[in-house]
Amino acid sequence: MTILITGATGQLGGAVVRHVLDRTNEQVIVSVRSPEKFTLEGVEVRQGDFAKPETLDFRGVDKLLIVSADDHDTDVRIKQHENAIAKAVEHGVGHIFYTSITDADTSPVGAAAVHKATESIIRATGVPFTFLRNGMYHENYLGALSADTVAISTKDGRVASAAREDFAEAAAAALTTTGHENQTYELTGSTSWSFPELAGDRYRDVSDEDLIASGVPAFLVDFFVAIRNGVFAEVRPDLEKLLGRPSTPIKVTV
C-alpha cells in the first residue's frame, strides 16, 4: 500500500505525514512545491505544483490525500484542485481523500464554494473518495482570544472547533485503516464554545462594519457572521470516532 500526501510542507499536511508514519510501515510519499523545505526522514519526496499539472506525479499511489490549496482566488483554487484530480485519474490512483469544510455542499460561507466544486469533481471521476470536512481550527482564534480586548462581531455564536493536530490525526487514521470508501466525515470538536464565554470581561461586541473599517479582511468577517448565525456550532461525532477519543479542548492563554 502506497500513501501520497500533498501540501506536506504546510502545517496540516506536515502533521498528517507525521501521524501516518506513526501508524504504518507502508510506503509514504509526499508531493510538495519546494522539496528542500521537507525534512522528515523515511519519506519519498516528489516535486509537484497544482498550478503546473505536468509536474504532478501520482504514479503507483493507492491512497492520495489532496490537502486543499491555499490560494485566495476561488477560481484559481478550484482549477488547481481539478488539475490534481485529473492527474490522479490519469495515473490510476485507487482512492482520493480530500480535506474539505463543514457542510461543504450547503454552507453559506463563501469559502465553501471551492470545496463544494472540488467534491463534485472528485465524485464525477468514479474513483473511491473520502471527504474529510474539517471544521474550524482552535488555532484560528487563539490569537484573538488571548488579546487584552477581544473585539469581535460573533455575539454568543458557538464554535465546535478542534486542534489542527486532531484533524491531522483523524486524516492519518482514515488513510491507514479500511472502510472509508465513498464516505463523508463532518469533523468538529467534541464541545463548542463562544467568544464571550472564553474571553469573559475582555469581550467587546462590535459590528461587522467596525471590523472591516479596522482592517479585518472581508473573508474573515464572513466567518464571524457564520459563527454568529450558528453555522459552526453543531458538535458532530465523526472526529471522535476517527480519533478513538474526545478532541483536544481549546485552551486560551492570557
Side-chain angles (χ1 to χ4, degrees), residues 25 35 102 120 148 177:
N25 293 319
T102 307
S120 179
D148 292 338
T177 56

Side-chain angles (χ1 to χ4, degrees), residues 137-147 150 161-164 193 195 198 202 249-254:
Y137 295 3
H138 292 338
E139 290 81 359
N140 292 347
Y141 307 108
L142 291 178
L145 284 165
S146 300
V150 181
S161 64
R164 182 184 289 108
W193 54 271
F195 278 89
L198 293 187
R202 294 177 297 116
I250 191 167
K251 183 178 181 180
V252 178
T253 302
V254 180

Side-chain angles (χ1 to χ4, degrees), residues 68 77 98-107 109-116 119 131-136 184-187 223 231-232:
S68 176
R77 201 171 168 195
Y98 172 67
T99 59
S100 188
I101 193 173
T102 307
D103 297 317
D105 48 351
T106 59
S107 175
V109 177
V114 168
H115 302 289
K116 179 179 180 179
E119 288 187 6
F131 297 145
L132 301 164
R133 289 182 170 177
N134 291 347
M136 299 297 98
T184 298
Y185 295 117
E186 300 285 355
L187 305 176
F223 278 97
V231 172
F232 301 116

